[in-house]
Amino acid sequence: MVFRKPPDGGWGWVIVVVSFFTQFLCYGSPLAVGVLYLEWLDAFGEGKGKTAWVGSLANGIGLLASPVCSICVSSFGARPVAIFSGFMVAGGLMMSSFAPNIYFLYVSYGIVVGLGCGLLYTATVTITCQYFDKRRGLALGLISTGSSVGLFIYAALQRELIELYGLDGCLLIVGALSLNILACGSLMRPLESSSSPPPEKTCVDKLPDQYFVYHEKEKTVEENISILEKGYIDEKCVNNVPDCKQESILNKNVLSSININEKDTYKKKVVEQTNFCKQLAKRKWQLYLTYWKETMVLFKNKVFSALFVAILLFDIGGFPPSLLMEDVARSANISEDDYYMPLISIIGIMTTVGKLILGILADFKWVNTLYLYVTTLLMTGVALFAIPFAKSYLTLAMLSGILGFLTGNWSIFPYVTTKTVGIEKLTHAYGILMFFAGLGNSLGPPIVGWFYDWTQEYDTAFYFSGFCVLLGGFLLLLAALPCWNACTNQSSKLSPNTYSYKVASNA
């Protein structure tokens, strides 16, 4: 398959629009799962920690499975994966409306919907990168806001649907809306070149696979001729019986020679194919060893090691507010009459603003993106410490807006990773970091819920969350201050990565 040069426009803008709506439709409900979380608490009567697993799995499983998602998109293409994933998301949401217990939701909503969202994110990012080169940053920024806008709208939408049709009806309608992903996926036309057809196969390439023998050393001329003539004659026999007879007469001497040495030739083939399998296994093993050696080299970088700890602790402490803020307001006995807008909607719209503003700031040459990222971590920790002191809707809304804005630091995380390890190691390092980000997303809300089940109040839980984020920020700051320039210079001198590893993020 031959790809054209990215057009940086044209049908690419259609790709941007459908990718935006794809992320809007698939991530809207999982990111606004805090509204559903309250209903599941009342419906199943389970603890807050156990119930929080549903939303945390839906948001974390896509990051944990990012290598698998990348392999699927690379193997089958963005359009088939998007259409298949649309069925997964819609089916998982509709199945969740019939959930008899919380364990069923772990599978239907947590795993099925979460994995579908991970596949869709990878598909939208991959095909957008194929269509854009010079404007790739703008295109990716536009489609990434789809998830934030989805959080803003779905928080209010799901609340209204629950009041009108109940929890089951809400999930059925939201699942039906997700079927529009199929229409979006069908428009993800692959960027292929029809003007330059692939080169024709040579005569050797046209031979049947059964006559193509892998070998460790070159065969003799006589052996090659005998194998080729045997393959040619047998192919003739299948296609044309009269020609087969004539060809058999003309090549009688050759056939007799093959029959005499048939056993020896077969043994040689077996030995050669066995040697090939051994060589293939050896090469695969060498590739895995190379991958782990490069991973160990990354962790020798002090800033990268601190960054991996920081992203893990940030997601453990910083993700729970988007899931649990509605329950925090209910626990503070705030009346629903005081609600002007769902707190999750405020987080969603401010996340969009944060992504855009922080992304713009990262483009200025005088701004150090690492220090900017550390600042967002430290401010997030302080905001989390302030949540237990918020006893009114206004203060919770202000903290929700601050936390939403600071969560927009996802837009500058690729910049930070590039500064830390260099462009050559970006995909490898980013895949590792996204795995731990998904782990933090999966563990954060249940841990906060368990703290509530243990203490019957959220104060200790958010003190713990704030401590985690502050600890990650201070560790990253300490690692960066003395050796920031040394680490970046060292990473730029590292040998380029021979192998490319594609990843997905939930930025």
Side-chain angles (χ1 to χ4, degrees):
M1 183 180 296
V2 181
F3 291 99
R4 296 197 306 265
K5 182 180 178 181
D8 279 301
W11 191 260
W13 293 118
V14 178
I15 297 296
V16 169
V17 173
V18 298
S19 297
F20 172 89
F21 281 105
T22 297
Q23 293 199 21
F24 170 85
L25 292 168
C26 73
Y27 277 109
S29 181
L31 290 178
V33 73
V35 177
L36 303 176
Y37 170 76
L38 297 177
E39 302 299 323
W40 287 330
L41 283 174
D42 297 335
F44 300 115
E46 300 287 352
K48 295 182 185 294
K50 185 181 291 186
T51 307
W53 271 111
V54 181
S56 62
L57 283 174
N59 287 278
I61 199 71
L63 290 173
L64 291 172
S66 58
V68 177
C69 298
S70 297
I71 291 173
C72 290
V73 174
S74 299
S75 302
F76 303 106
R79 180 158 59 182
V81 169
I83 294 174
F84 174 76
S85 302
F87 281 113
M88 286 186 65
V89 173
L93 290 169
M94 292 179 180
M95 287 169 56
S96 299
S97 65
F98 303 101
N101 51 54
I102 199 69
Y103 303 102
F104 188 91
L105 285 174
Y106 290 162
V107 178
S108 62
Y109 197 97
I111 297 178
V112 176
V113 176
L115 186 58
C117 290
L119 288 168
L120 284 169
Y121 183 86
T122 307
T124 54
V125 170
T126 300
I127 196 166
T128 302
C129 290
Q130 291 176 0
Y131 271 87
F132 288 89
D133 184 15
K134 296 179 181 178
R135 300 178 179 176
R136 183 174 296 168
L138 173 63
L140 291 175
L142 290 174
I143 69 171
S144 68
T145 59
S147 58
S148 301
V149 175
L151 169 59
F152 171 70
I153 294 179
Y154 268 75
L157 176 64
Q158 291 184 147
R159 180 187 292 274
E160 190 67 24
L161 290 175
I162 289 172
E163 292 180 358
L164 294 175
Y165 305 105
L167 176 61
D168 297 342
C170 170
L171 289 171
L172 283 173
I173 294 174
V174 171
L177 287 175
S178 299
L179 289 173
N180 289 287
I181 296 173
L182 306 181
C184 295
S186 65
L187 294 174
M188 293 181 184
R189 187 172 64 195
L191 185 65
E192 298 179 21
S193 175
S194 57
S195 58
S196 56
E200 295 185 359
K201 292 183 177 180
T202 61
C203 296
V204 177
D205 295 331
K206 293 180 180 179
L207 288 173
D209 292 339
Q210 57 184 337
Y211 306 116
F212 188 81
V213 182
Y214 297 101
H215 49 81
E216 198 171 17
K217 59 181 181 179
E218 293 294 331
K219 300 175 70 66
T220 62
V221 177
E222 291 78 5
E223 288 175 338
N224 283 327
I225 292 175
S226 65
I227 292 173
L228 292 176
E229 291 185 15
K230 184 176 184 298
Y232 173 76
I233 294 169
D234 289 348
E235 188 177 352
K236 281 279 191 177
C237 290
V238 174
N239 297 329
N240 197 333
V241 176
D243 292 343
C244 175
K245 293 180 180 180
Q246 295 177 4
E247 203 69 34
S248 299
I249 295 173
L250 294 175
N251 295 280
K252 185 176 180 180
N253 294 331
V254 176
L255 285 173
S256 60
S257 173
I258 292 175
N259 288 331
I260 294 173
N261 299 320
E262 185 175 355
K263 292 184 179 180
D264 294 337
T265 303
Y266 177 76
K267 290 180 180 179
K268 290 179 179 178
K269 287 183 182 180
V270 172
V271 172
E272 289 164 354
Q273 291 177 353
T274 303
N275 290 334
F276 169 75
C277 292
K278 291 180 179 179
Q279 291 295 324
L280 182 62
K282 185 177 179 181
R283 290 175 184 175
K284 290 290 185 181
W285 179 248
Q286 290 295 330
L287 187 145
Y288 293 138
L289 288 178
T290 302
Y291 177 84
W292 288 112
K293 288 179 181 177
E294 291 172 351
T295 303
M296 295 306 297
V297 170
L298 287 175
F299 278 100
K300 290 180 180 178
N301 186 329
K302 294 180 181 179
V303 178
F304 177 81
S305 298
L307 191 61
F308 126 76
V309 175
I311 190 65
L312 175 64
L313 294 176
F314 172 75
D315 281 282
I316 289 177
F319 177 66
S322 63
L323 176 61
L324 304 173
M325 192 61 79
E326 296 293 330
D327 192 47
V328 172
R330 188 169 72 170
S331 300
N333 297 320
I334 296 176
S335 175
E336 293 185 0
D337 297 335
D338 298 334
Y339 269 64
Y340 300 102
M341 182 185 297
L343 297 175
I344 299 179
S345 295
I346 297 175
I347 293 176
I349 196 64
M350 290 305 296
T351 300
T352 304
V353 176
K355 286 180 178 179
L356 294 176
I357 293 180
L358 292 175
I360 293 172
L361 287 176
D363 286 333
F364 289 108
K365 294 182 179 180
W366 52 270
V367 174
N368 188 309
T369 52
L370 181 63
Y371 293 151
L372 179 62
Y373 184 75
V374 169
T375 302
T376 61
L377 294 184
L378 298 178
M379 293 178 66
T380 300
V382 174
L384 289 171
F385 271 116
I387 289 178
F389 300 97
K391 301 301 180 181
S392 66
Y393 173 81
L394 180 60
T395 53
L396 283 176
M398 292 176 60
L399 289 174
S400 297
I402 294 172
L403 288 170
F405 179 86
L406 297 173
T407 306
N409 62 7
W410 274 101
S411 64
I412 64 173
F413 192 73
Y415 289 82
V416 177
T417 309
T418 305
K419 286 287 187 179
T420 304
V421 301
I423 191 64
E424 299 87 359
K425 299 286 183 179
L426 175 61
T427 51
H428 188 178
Y430 202 67
I432 297 172
L433 295 173
M434 287 301 100
F435 175 85
F436 286 103
L439 186 62
N441 273 350
S442 301
L443 295 177
I447 291 175
V448 173
W450 289 331
F451 268 108
Y452 184 92
D453 294 335
W454 178 39
T455 62
Q456 294 302 309
E457 44 87 17
Y458 275 116
D459 294 356
T460 305
F462 283 105
Y463 289 147
F464 170 79
S465 297
F467 173 77
C468 286
V469 178
L470 284 176
L471 178 62
F474 277 120
L475 288 176
L476 184 57
L477 181 62
L478 291 176
L481 282 176
C483 58
W484 168 240
N485 292 327
C487 287
T488 53
N489 292 335
Q490 181 181 0
S491 63
S492 63
K493 295 179 181 179
L494 295 176
S495 58
N497 188 4
T498 307
Y499 306 98
S500 177
Y501 303 91
K502 289 186 178 181
V503 298
S505 64
N506 188 21

